[in-house]
Amino acid sequence: MKIAALAGGVGGAKLADGLSRILPENSLTVIVNTGDDFDHFGLRVCPDLDTVCYTLAGLANPVTGWGREAETWHVMDSLKQLGGPSWFRLGDRDLGTHLERTRLLAEGFTLSEVTKEFCGRWDIKHTILPMSNDHTPTIVHTDEGQLAFQDYFVRRGCQPQVSGFHFESIASARPAPGVMEAIQDAGVVIFCPSNPWVSIDPILSIPGIKETMISDPDGKQIIAVSPIIAGAALKGPAAKMYTELGIQPSALSVARHYGSRTNEGLLTGYVFDILDLDQEKDIQGLGLSTLVMNTIMESSEDRIELAKEVIKFSKSLNLSKN
Ligand code: FO1
């Protein structure tokens, strides 16, 4: 069975990693958010693509989740000495990625061609695709005005109060080559536990992607894993965004965010943490099949266990459907 996984930053990359460790080659495609991408020092930085690629390549910094392991910061040190902007920390090894990506893009290669080349160089066995080759920067509407995503997330440390988002030029953005085919061919599409607002929604907002997910006559399984556990996000501003948008941060709110296939929404199944077992009735009331388990991934074994259970869950839904 072919799997398509939608992923954003660190949380999503962990489940993508678990899936990559249990699935045979050529059966997993990870479709990655590029709304966080921005130009810095003239370099195109693609944080979520790099986080997913570094994680699957075993190169990711285990503490932060982003950037490279065994990193050094000499460039940043000399930048600081010269008074340059150091709010967005670019490690020496990580800079190699941004330099080479920017060079190849300037030579006319597309982001998906660059990503394919890098995955080969990093010996990544599965397919990682940017959601689009078109630049659709996420803009965060806040009480300090509209902020580019990294300005909000890193420079301002997610402090501003959020009132909304938009994804620039999303209406004319095209799915990257292979994205639609990966969704069409997938027996299950998995929304990894990433921020619904700024990691998964940008992917779903590309014209044609949602339609392709629900157009399947024999109905593929579409399963989301909640990034909110006991009212909080393990990492990042997802819960804070919910609160500032006037929505109770919870596994139930995320289920409502994506909606159920039986009620004009997307999902057929929903996976959430045992700490939120009390919400199961309400979540099932949305028309969703549910899997409740430990979803906190602290070790590789946790990532593999969650990936295994999600796949088993999707197969059980297929069986019960036929
Ligand atoms: N996140 C931070 O909180 N501080 C940083 O200095 C930082 C630098 C950075 C450099 C490269 C990269 O790929 C990611 C980086 N991130 C940093 C994380 C990044 O802002 C987020 O991972 C995504 O944009 C949201 O998931």
Side-chain angles (χ1 to χ4, degrees), residues 131-149:
M131 66 187 197
S132 173
N133 286 328
D134 301 315
H135 189 37
T136 61
T138 295
I139 304 299
V140 187
H141 302 183
T142 79
D143 57 349
E144 297 178 11
Q146 295 196 359
L147 299 176
F149 181 79

Side-chain angles (χ1 to χ4, degrees), residues 191-203:
F191 294 9
C192 293
S194 299
N195 187 315
W197 305 104
V198 292
S199 292
I200 302 295
D201 276 0
I203 303 174

Side-chain angles (χ1 to χ4, degrees), residues 125-187:
K125 299 293 181 221
H126 294 282
T127 304
I128 298 175
L129 302 176
M131 66 187 197
S132 173
N133 286 328
D134 301 315
H135 189 37
T136 61
T138 295
I139 304 299
V140 187
H141 302 183
T142 79
D143 57 349
E144 297 178 11
Q146 295 196 359
L147 299 176
F149 181 79
Q150 297 302 340
D151 267 0
Y152 163 79
F153 190 87
V154 180
R155 199 172 52 75
R156 296 290 296 108
C158 305
Q159 289 315 303
Q161 303 296 306
V162 168
S163 55
F165 315 89
H166 75 270
F167 314 126
E168 269 179 22
S169 319
I170 199 78
S172 58
R174 292 150 298 170
V179 166
M180 296 302 243
E181 296 80 356
I183 293 170
Q184 281 154 356
D185 298 348

